[in-house]
């Protein structure tokens, strides 16, 4: 119960008790007054009527007339005249009449009208005794009317009092509400500073303390952000040409060489400039550096037509151009265009193209290869290009062995989508320090015609057939409409690729699913999104964040290599964790990793290493203070 509710309840009860006490006392006073009035009225009537009766000199007829006249003009239960022997000379009683008051009220007040008496005498001769009793029903009606008036007054006063009390408490505790909101924001790793400092000393001290803490955390995040940007520029950017460097290419290539990559392959171009020593002697280092900048502009201009292309400087004289989805014929045409443009730049610099020239090796890669294979075979193509008269050489990769043709795959995948032929598989993400499971990373298998296909077998053919997004829509629907009860009570993560999340209809599909089925999901869900999508911090990403928070789900990042130009998106979106390849963390400098740690610790983000295949890799990660891992090494941990 909130402090506001506690204070409001306590003061409301006190106010109601106070008003109830006043009501009871007022009613009791009215009750006593009525009872007293009944006796006084009867006594006064008895005294005045006895004097009148004495003037009748014992005439019963005259006395009865007087008694009837008094009885009719007042509210009496009875008036009785008895002689000195106790015999009734005359008695007038009121009729029993129905009164419009509840029986419980009659029983509650229990009014009894006393009997007043007075002696009646004619001169010195006594005639008898006169008895008078007032009518109780009249008093009961009066008291009931008083009670109703008191209750109406009580309700009005209580309502007004409670409203005023509520407003006063709101006014007094308004600063506390702001403190509460700020504290809740801090618990969500949001940086909110209160500008309205309360006047109350206790609240003022708390607000100032909170603001100071928030400011320190913001400063810590900003320092980490600036340092990480500086480190990434040092680690990923060639200072002379402003191109990406070899380290960036190596960290980025795993994104292109994976089963569910958006591109199935392309051309990797290695370019080497020969005759640099002679050029330095002839035109000087400054002009040679200008030539390199011109070459970089030429490479970027030619690669610009290919989505997600990478232009990198590998060393002093060698460059790399990665062209996803580029066919071999287009690659050769591009190489010839680059060669012609660079030769023109060499001549413009005053150099002889017979002494200073470029060699271009093209390697046609596919997604099945790893980084080492791609770079080694690309270097081999470059070596052959140097001995080629045209200085251009294309090397083809061996085609991956297909289990079946594209049409057969298309048919199987279509059938699996129609028949809900997918099943979730889970792999543990484990904290190697505490030996506890962090969450279950979900993958999928496909069942068709009694045969099981694993993710690595069917996802690449599905992407090539344009069915990748259909599969992800299906498994999202199955997760919510047919949840796996074996995962009940656990935390599960599901990785969704860039190509699936980017279209607007995916968001609409999630909105529909969540609104209907999110409350029935038996486990906690974390949606993992690629860093290159989240780093955009676009409106669509913010919509995803709001949607996930609305239904109690979390957002996380995968394929992180820290390539963003600014890391404030981590502060804005506050993902639950960041997943990066184990090699990425291991190859980071101490300064770069410390800056990343400063950012993630300030906003409560965990770092998780994926692809940890053995204990030696785990030991290297632990030296970097990375303890949460995913991969085969989790099976070797003693738990």
């Amino acid at each position: 119960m909130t402090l506001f509710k506690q204070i409001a309840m306590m003061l409301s009860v006190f106010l109601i008790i106070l008003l109830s006490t006043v009501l009871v006392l007022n009613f009791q006073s009215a009750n006593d007054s009525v009872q007293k009035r009944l006796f006084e009225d009867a006594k006064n009537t008895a005294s005045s009527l006895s004097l009148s009766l004495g003037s009748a000199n014992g005439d019963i007829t005259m006395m009865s007339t007087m008694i009837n006249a008094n009885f009719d003009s007042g509210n009496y239960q009875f008036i009785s005249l008895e002689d000195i022997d106790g015999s009734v000379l005359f008695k007038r009683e009121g009729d029993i009449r129905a009164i419009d008051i509840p029986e419980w009220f009659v029983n509650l007040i229990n009014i009894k009208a006393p009997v007043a008496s007075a002696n009646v005498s004619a001169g010195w001769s006594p005639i008898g005794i006169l008895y008078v009793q007032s009518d109780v029903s009249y008093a009961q009606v009066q008291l009931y009317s008083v009670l109703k008036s008191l209750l109406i007054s009580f309700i009005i006063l209580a309502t007004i009092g409670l409203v005023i009390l509520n407003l006063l408490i709101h006014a007094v505790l308004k600063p506390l509400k702001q403190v509460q909101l700020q504290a809740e924001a801090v618990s969500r790793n949001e940086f909110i500073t209160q500008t309205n400092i309360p006047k109350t000393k206790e609240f003022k001290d708390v607000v100032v303390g909170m603001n100071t803490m928030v400011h320190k955390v913001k400063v810590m995040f900003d320092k980490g952000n600036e340092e990480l940007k500086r480190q990434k520029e040092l680690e990923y950017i060639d200072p002379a040409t402003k191109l990406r460097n070899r380290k960036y290419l190596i960290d980025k290539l795993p994104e292109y060489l994976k089963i569910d990559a958006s591109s199935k392959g392309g051309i990797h171009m290695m370019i080497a400039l020969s005759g640099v020593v002679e050029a330095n002697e002839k035109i000087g280092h400054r002009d040679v550096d200008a030539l390199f900048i011109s070459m970089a502009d030429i490479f970027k201009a030619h690669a610009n037509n290919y989505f997600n292309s990478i232009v990198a400087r590998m060393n002093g004289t060698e460059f790399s151009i990665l062209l996803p989805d580029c066919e071999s014929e287009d690659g050769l045409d591009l190489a010839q265009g680059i060669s012609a443009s660079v030769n023109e730049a060499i001549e413009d610099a005053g150099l002889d193209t017979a002494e200073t020239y470029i060699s271009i090796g093209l390697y046609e890669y596919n997604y099945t290869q790893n980084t080492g294979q791609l770079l080694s075979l690309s270097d081999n193509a470059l070596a052959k290009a140097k001995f080629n008269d045209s200085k251009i050489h294309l090397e083809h990769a061996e085609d991956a062995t297909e289990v079946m043709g594209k049409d057969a795959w298309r048919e199987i995948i279509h059938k699996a989508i129609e028949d809900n032929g997918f099943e979730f598989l889970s792999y543990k993400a484990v904290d190697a320090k505490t030996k506890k499971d962090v969450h279950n990373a979900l993958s999928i298998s496909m069942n068709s015609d009694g045969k099981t296909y694993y993710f690595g077998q069917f996802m690449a053919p599905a992407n090539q057939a344009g069915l990748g997004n259909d599969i992800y829509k299906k498994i999202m629907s199955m997760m919510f409409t047919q949840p796996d009860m074996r995962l009940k009570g656990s935390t599960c993560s599901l990785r969704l690729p860039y190509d699936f999340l980017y279209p607007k209809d995916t968001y609409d599909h999630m909105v529909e699913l969540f609104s209907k089925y999110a409350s029935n999901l038996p486990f906690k869900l974390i949606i993992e999104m690629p860093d290159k999508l989240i780093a955009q911090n676009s409106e669509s990403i913010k919509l995803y964040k709001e949607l996930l928070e609305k239904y109690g789900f979390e957002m996380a990042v995968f394929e992180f290599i820290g390539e963003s130009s600014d890391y404030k998106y981590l502060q804005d979106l506050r993902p639950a964790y960041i997943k990066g390849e184990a090699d990425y963390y291991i190859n980071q400098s101490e300064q770069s990793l410390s800056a990343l740690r400063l950012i993630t610790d300030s906003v409560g983000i965990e770092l998780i290493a994926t692809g940890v295949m053995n204990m030696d890799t785990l030991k290297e990660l632990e030296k970097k203070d990375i303890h949460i891992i995913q991969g085969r090494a989790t099976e070797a941990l003693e738990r």
Side-chain angles (χ1 to χ4, degrees):
M1 187 181 291
T2 63
L3 180 61
F4 171 81
K5 289 182 179 179
Q6 292 181 47
I7 294 177
M9 183 176 291
M10 180 180 65
L11 294 180
S12 298
V13 170
F14 176 76
L15 177 63
I16 291 172
I17 291 174
L18 182 64
L19 291 175
S20 299
T21 303
V22 172
L23 182 145
V24 170
L25 291 176
N26 283 341
F27 182 74
Q28 188 64 45
S29 175
N31 189 14
D32 293 342
S33 177
V34 166
Q35 294 226 35
K36 185 177 180 182
R37 180 69 179 275
L38 286 175
F39 177 71
E40 289 178 350
D41 286 350
K43 183 178 179 182
N44 292 336
T45 299
S47 297
S48 61
L49 184 58
S50 65
L51 293 175
S52 299
L53 293 177
S55 63
N57 296 318
D59 187 346
I60 297 301
T61 302
M62 186 177 291
M63 287 192 292
S64 64
T65 301
M66 292 179 180
I67 291 174
N68 285 331
N70 273 271
F71 190 92
D72 292 337
S73 62
N75 295 288
Y76 304 101
Q77 187 67 38
F78 72 86
I79 298 178
S80 174
L81 178 63
E82 297 180 2
D83 60 16
I84 56 177
D85 296 324
S87 299
V88 177
L89 298 176
F90 182 79
K91 184 175 184 180
R92 175 76 183 273
E93 289 184 297
D95 298 328
I96 298 176
R97 56 179 178 174
I99 53 176
D100 188 19
I101 57 175
E103 186 177 350
W104 62 265
F105 180 75
V106 175
N107 297 330
L108 177 67
I109 58 175
N110 193 24
I111 294 179
K112 293 182 179 179
V115 178
S117 61
N119 293 322
V120 179
S121 60
W124 294 100
S125 301
I127 298 173
I129 301 174
L130 180 68
Y131 295 97
V132 179
Q133 184 181 36
S134 297
D135 188 2
V136 175
S137 62
Y138 175 72
Q140 290 172 337
V141 170
Q142 280 190 318
L143 279 177
Y144 188 62
S145 177
V146 169
L147 178 63
K148 287 193 293 183
S149 299
L150 287 174
L151 285 175
I152 292 171
S153 301
F154 172 82
I155 293 171
I156 293 173
L157 290 174
T159 302
I160 295 173
L162 291 175
V163 170
I164 294 174
L165 186 64
N166 183 67
L167 294 175
L168 287 174
I169 295 174
H170 265 296
V172 172
L173 296 183
K174 185 178 180 181
L176 185 60
K177 182 64 177 178
Q178 298 302 317
V179 172
Q180 180 189 2
L181 294 175
Q182 188 179 28
E184 290 174 352
V186 170
S187 68
R188 296 192 302 269
N189 301 305
E190 296 177 8
F191 304 142
I192 295 178
T193 301
Q194 263 203 74
T195 55
N196 296 324
I197 306 300
K199 299 291 190 296
T200 307
K201 185 181 184 306
E202 291 81 357
F203 291 161
K204 179 180 179 181
D205 292 343
V206 173
V207 170
V208 171
M210 294 278 285
N211 283 348
T212 302
M213 182 188 69
V214 167
H215 176 71
K216 288 180 179 179
V217 175
K218 286 187 69 174
V219 169
M220 183 171 67
F221 180 92
D222 291 339
K223 284 183 177 179
N225 186 30
E226 292 301 321
E227 179 63 19
L228 188 57
K229 286 194 290 185
R230 191 178 71 84
Q231 289 297 324
K232 287 307 171 186
E233 186 170 350
L234 292 174
E235 292 187 5
Y236 280 166
I237 304 296
D238 175 63
T241 62
K242 303 304 178 183
L243 294 176
R244 302 290 189 176
N245 60 17
R246 180 184 181 88
K247 179 172 174 48
Y248 175 83
L249 180 67
I250 292 174
D251 286 343
K252 190 70 173 174
L253 276 176
E255 182 182 320
Y256 296 80
L257 305 176
K258 61 177 185 175
I259 294 166
D260 59 344
S262 57
S263 167
K264 65 178 180 179
I267 295 293
H268 182 230
M269 198 179 291
M270 288 291 294
I271 305 170
L273 179 65
S274 300
V276 175
V277 175
E278 293 80 0
N280 281 325
E281 292 176 353
K282 188 172 182 179
I283 63 174
H285 290 283
R286 187 184 298 275
D287 289 340
V288 171
D289 287 343
L291 174 61
F292 277 127
I293 294 173
S294 298
M295 291 172 59
D297 291 339
I298 291 170
F299 299 154
K300 287 189 289 185
H302 282 78
N304 194 44
N305 292 329
Y306 290 88
F307 184 65
N308 286 334
S309 60
I310 300 175
V311 180
R313 189 176 187 181
M314 305 296 282
N315 54 46
T317 60
E318 292 185 355
F319 297 82
S320 162
I321 304 177
L322 186 74
L323 303 169
D325 293 323
C326 179
E327 301 294 338
S328 57
E329 294 81 2
D330 296 332
L332 284 172
D333 291 341
L334 198 67
Q336 290 168 1
I338 289 173
S339 179
S341 297
V342 171
N343 284 338
E344 185 178 340
I346 291 172
E347 290 174 351
D348 291 343
L351 297 172
D352 186 356
T353 55
E355 291 181 354
T356 305
Y357 55 89
I358 62 169
S359 303
I360 304 176
L362 296 88
Y363 176 65
E364 188 181 26
Y365 73 92
N366 61 58
Y367 70 92
T368 62
Q369 296 166 313
N370 59 40
T371 301
Q373 289 173 328
L374 186 147
L375 294 178
S376 175
L377 293 169
S378 298
D379 285 337
N380 183 55
L382 177 60
K384 291 182 179 180
K386 290 179 179 179
F387 295 99
N388 194 314
D389 291 339
S390 65
K391 302 303 178 184
I392 297 174
H393 177 76
L394 172 64
E395 191 83 5
H396 291 277
E398 293 182 4
D399 292 333
T401 303
E402 292 284 354
V403 176
M404 62 188 77
K406 291 182 181 180
D407 292 338
W409 271 119
R410 185 187 297 273
E411 183 179 344
I412 289 174
I413 294 169
H414 267 303
K415 190 174 188 304
I417 292 173
E418 292 174 0
D419 298 341
N420 292 342
F422 296 95
E423 184 177 351
F424 287 102
L425 307 174
S426 65
Y427 302 92
K428 301 291 185 182
V430 179
D431 189 332
K433 193 173 185 178
T434 62
K435 306 296 189 296
K436 292 182 178 179
D437 295 343
V438 177
H439 64 258
N440 295 306
L442 299 180
S443 181
I444 54 173
S445 63
M446 182 177 73
N447 302 311
S448 182
D449 295 328
K451 188 172 182 179
T452 299
Y453 301 91
Y454 292 101
F455 188 80
Q457 293 175 291
F458 70 83
M459 202 63 216
N463 284 335
Q464 293 172 24
L467 296 174
N469 286 359
D470 294 331
I471 289 177
Y472 280 106
K473 279 188 178 180
K474 174 55 67 174
I475 64 172
M476 284 291 291
S477 297
M478 290 178 61
M479 173 182 289
F480 283 91
T481 59
Q482 305 170 25
D484 189 342
M485 299 308 295
R486 294 173 298 178
L487 301 172
K488 184 177 181 179
S490 65
T491 300
C492 300
S493 68
L494 181 65
R495 179 174 295 190
L496 299 178
Y498 183 96
D499 293 337
F500 174 66
L501 291 167
Y502 190 77
K504 176 66 168 59
D505 64 332
T506 297
Y507 174 79
D508 297 335
H509 178 64
M510 284 191 179
V511 169
E512 183 180 356
L513 272 179
F514 291 0
S515 62
K516 291 181 179 179
Y517 306 108
S519 60
N520 298 326
L521 199 66
F523 50 82
K524 181 180 178 182
L525 180 63
I526 303 173
I527 297 294
E528 296 181 4
M529 301 183 179
D531 183 54
K532 71 175 182 179
L533 179 66
I534 289 185
Q536 297 173 10
N537 201 10
S538 61
E539 286 302 318
S540 62
I541 293 301
K542 292 175 182 177
L543 286 175
Y544 275 122
K545 176 67 175 177
E546 291 174 3
L547 177 64
L548 294 174
E549 285 185 341
K550 178 180 179 181
Y551 292 97
F553 304 143
E554 290 189 277
M555 172 188 288
V557 179
F558 73 94
E559 289 181 348
F560 181 83
I561 63 168
E563 62 179 314
S564 177
S565 59
D566 196 338
Y567 301 92
K568 285 191 177 295
Y569 71 93
L570 295 176
Q571 175 185 334
D572 295 338
L573 300 175
R574 303 179 310 281
Y577 55 77
I578 289 172
K579 282 185 178 179
E581 288 289 329
D583 289 341
Y584 163 74
Y585 292 120
I586 291 172
N587 294 329
Q588 293 300 296
S589 65
E590 284 297 326
Q591 295 87 345
S592 181
L593 200 55
S594 295
L596 178 60
R597 274 289 190 194
L598 194 60
I599 289 175
T600 55
D601 288 348
S602 66
V603 291
I605 301 173
E606 296 284 355
L607 296 180
I608 300 179
T610 59
V612 183
M613 308 308 288
N614 51 59
M615 297 304 291
D616 291 336
T617 304
L618 175 57
K619 289 177 182 177
E620 290 295 319
L621 289 168
E622 288 178 333
K623 291 177 183 177
K624 300 280 188 176
D625 198 29
I626 306 291
H627 300 284
I628 304 178
I629 63 168
Q630 191 176 311
R632 291 180 184 173
T634 58
E635 300 172 4
L637 291 173
E638 294 182 3
R639 286 183 283 169

